[in-house]
Amino acid sequence: MSNADHEISIGGWVMRVHQPEGTGPFPVILLLHGWTGDERSMWVFSPRLPRNALMIAPRGLFKAAGAGYSWYPEISKRWPWMADFQRAVERLLPVLSEKYFPSGDFSNLHLVGCSQGAAFAYSIAIMHSELVTSLAGLSGFLADGASDWLRPTRLQGMPVFIAHGTQDKLVPVEKARQSVADLERAGASVTYCEDDVGHKLSIKCFHGLEAFFQKTACSG
C-alpha cells in the first residue's frame, strides 16, 4: 500500500482509500467487493482504473458465513431481493460526501462491483440513478425485484460495463446476459464483455474495463 493508500473508519464503516496527489476535486470510484470479501478484495482492479480518481473500497456491513463480509444479512434463498440491500444503501450513501472526503467530486461518482458487490452496485444505481455517473458489474447479477424498478429511461444514457465468464459456476452467464437486456431496456448504454473463463475477470475484459473508464468523465 502506497502512502496515498490507507484504511479509515467512518460512521461504522471500514474503508480502504486511494488518495490521488493534489487537492482535487477528484472523480470518485466506489469499489464493492463480493460475498466473503473485504475492503482489500477489490484492489486487484485498481491498476486498470484511473489513478486520478479518489477510490473508496468499503467493507460489507454484515459478517458472511465462514469468513469475510456481505452486503446483506444471511438469507435462505440463493439470490437476494433489491430490498435486502436497502440497509447497506441507506447507511453508505450519507458517508459518500465531501464532509468525509473533501477532495472527492461526488457529482462524478462511478461504481465498480464484483459478484455480490455488482448486485449491490446495480441496486445503488437503480435506487439512486441521479447520484451515479457510470457503473461496472463484474461476474455479477441483478437482484430479484429489479425489474419492478427498471422503468424505461430510469437509467437513460448511463454508461454501464458488464463482464462475465461463460464457465462461471457461481453466477451463471445467463444472469449477466439478462442484466444487459434489463439495463438496456431502462435506457443504459451497456458495453458487454464475455469470455471463456470462470468466476473471474479475463485479460480481455480487464482491458475492456480499462477502455470503458478511458471513455467516461472519470478519465478527464
Side-chain angles (χ1 to χ4, degrees):
M1 188 184 298
S2 72
N3 291 334
D5 298 348
H6 57 283
E7 292 189 6
I8 60 174
S9 180
I10 299 175
W13 290 94
V14 176
M15 300 181 171
R16 188 173 183 180
V17 177
H18 165 74
Q19 175 69 46
E21 295 182 2
T23 58
F26 303 109
V28 180
I29 300 178
L30 185 66
L31 300 167
L32 301 170
H33 65 75
W35 183 63
T36 72
D38 61 23
E39 68 279 9
R40 297 163 294 179
S41 302
M42 294 293 288
W43 236 244
V44 66
F45 300 111
S46 62
R48 300 290 182 180
L49 301 175
R51 299 304 289 178
N52 71 318
L54 174 66
M55 299 186 201
I56 303 172
R59 176 193 293 175
L61 275 184
F62 306 95
K63 286 287 291 182
Y69 297 86
S70 173
W71 296 110
Y72 52 83
E74 189 173 350
I75 58 176
S76 58
K77 61 194 294 287
R78 181 177 182 186
W79 307 108
W81 288 91
M82 287 274 291
D84 293 322
F85 291 107
Q86 189 73 45
R87 183 176 171 190
V89 172
E90 291 176 352
R91 287 277 306 275
L92 182 59
L93 290 183
V95 175
L96 301 177
S97 70
E98 287 83 356
K99 174 182 177 181
Y100 298 106
F101 300 96
S103 65
D105 176 8
F106 287 91
S107 68
N108 195 2
L109 175 63
H110 306 260
L111 310 184
V112 181
C114 183
S115 195
Q116 187 194 99
F120 184 37
Y122 293 152
S123 297
I124 295 172
I126 292 168
M127 293 177 184
H128 298 278
S129 57
E130 74 283 358
L131 302 180
V132 178
T133 302
S134 77
L135 172 63
L138 315 175
S139 303
F141 56 95
L142 279 173
D144 288 348
S147 58
D148 295 338
W149 292 73
L150 286 172
R151 305 293 186 235
T153 76
R154 185 168 188 88
L155 302 179
Q156 190 63 43
M158 182 182 292
V160 177
F161 178 81
I162 294 177
H164 216 93
T166 58
Q167 304 304 313
D168 193 328
K169 304 301 184 185
L170 292 178
V171 182
V173 68
E174 289 76 20
K175 286 280 187 181
R177 294 168 182 166
Q178 187 62 53
S179 298
V180 172
D182 289 345
L183 296 176
E184 286 183 337
R185 277 196 295 271
S189 176
V190 180
T191 300
Y192 181 51
C193 181
E194 186 176 290
D195 208 356
D196 188 27
V197 296
H199 193 64
K200 62 180 182 179
L201 198 63
S202 70
I203 294 297
K204 181 181 82 171
C205 293
F206 255 119
H207 290 310
L209 178 66
E210 187 174 27
F212 173 78
F213 274 103
Q214 289 173 351
K215 295 177 181 178
T216 69
C218 197
S219 63

